[in-house]
Amino acid sequence: MKAGDAALFTLIHDYLKIYLPRQHNVSPNTLRSYQKALEELLDYMKEQEQIPLGSITFEHLTANTAFMFLEYLEAEQNCSILTRNARFAAIRAFMDYAADHDMVLVANLNKLKKVPFKKPDYTAGVDYMSMTAITAIIEQPDANTPKGLRDRFFMILLYDTGARVQ
């Protein structure tokens, strides 16, 4: 593709305005997140790589540029590893979409897929309730009434099956 080619911005527009909301039916929050990731990448290329916004093409979106952008997010923007990985997932998803529309981009996509997601340094632990606390909660409904018996049954069912609020 030639410098100044509008294919990149046309595909970004179609991806954010047609494909994600209408064909892929993503939530507004997901759409906003993907849009923010692409905006941050373009801003990075404009400011850090010194490429005028109108001149950015797919030739500039290399795996190395994506890697440097991810490093920039962590080092300069103080983004967490989870945020970094979310931005990277959005960029990879867009490049996957773009490669479906332009076969020339498949090689770029394959190189981008070799950039690994970063693993967090920590694993979030889960604080479980003690058996005393669980027993106290389950014994709250009055088992001598039909509604209390029903409520206790559902509480035990939820506990035994590990049901979540979601």
Side-chain angles (χ1 to χ4, degrees):
M1 296 189 178
K2 299 176 220 84
D5 193 355
L8 171 66
F9 295 101
T10 301
L11 280 175
I12 288 174
H13 175 270
D14 293 349
Y15 182 68
L16 294 173
K17 299 296 182 188
I18 298 168
Y19 177 74
L20 286 178
R22 295 183 192 162
Q23 295 176 357
H24 209 282
N25 200 26
V26 299
S27 74
N29 291 335
T30 301
L31 185 60
R32 211 169 311 128
S33 174
Y34 278 43
Q35 182 174 352
K36 183 172 177 63
L38 293 172
E39 285 174 358
E40 286 180 353
L41 175 63
L42 293 174
D43 286 344
Y44 167 80
M45 294 176 71
K46 182 177 79 173
E47 294 168 10
Q48 302 296 320
E49 303 286 328
Q50 301 296 317
I51 303 170
L53 187 61
S55 299
I56 297 173
T57 64
F58 280 110
E59 290 176 354
H60 298 108
L61 289 176
T62 63
N64 187 52
T65 302
F67 180 75
M68 295 305 292
F69 168 66
L70 297 172
E71 293 296 314
Y72 165 80
L73 285 178
E74 275 189 271
E76 303 293 324
Q77 298 296 314
N78 296 319
C79 290
S80 70
I81 292 174
L82 297 176
T83 301
R84 172 202 188 273
N85 286 343
R87 300 285 191 272
F88 186 42
I91 293 166
R92 279 178 58 164
F94 168 70
M95 287 301 291
D96 195 21
Y97 170 81
D100 284 345
H101 288 79
D102 187 352
M103 295 302 292
V104 175
L105 301 174
V106 171
N108 243 4
L109 175 64
N110 288 337
K111 288 179 185 173
L112 186 65
K113 285 186 175 181
K114 290 181 181 176
V115 176
F117 285 95
K118 195 169 192 177
K119 294 185 180 183
D121 296 334
Y122 63 91
T123 56
V126 177
D127 292 331
Y128 296 100
M129 295 175 68
S130 68
M131 279 310 291
T132 308
I134 292 169
T135 305
I137 291 172
I138 290 176
E139 289 179 353
Q140 287 301 308
D142 183 11
N144 296 326
T145 65
K147 284 186 180 180
L149 187 60
R150 176 203 64 192
D151 292 346
R152 185 176 287 184
F153 167 77
F154 281 120
M155 291 171 77
I156 292 170
L157 177 69
L158 293 172
Y159 174 74
D160 284 347
T161 59
R164 301 184 319 176
V165 173
Q166 292 88 350

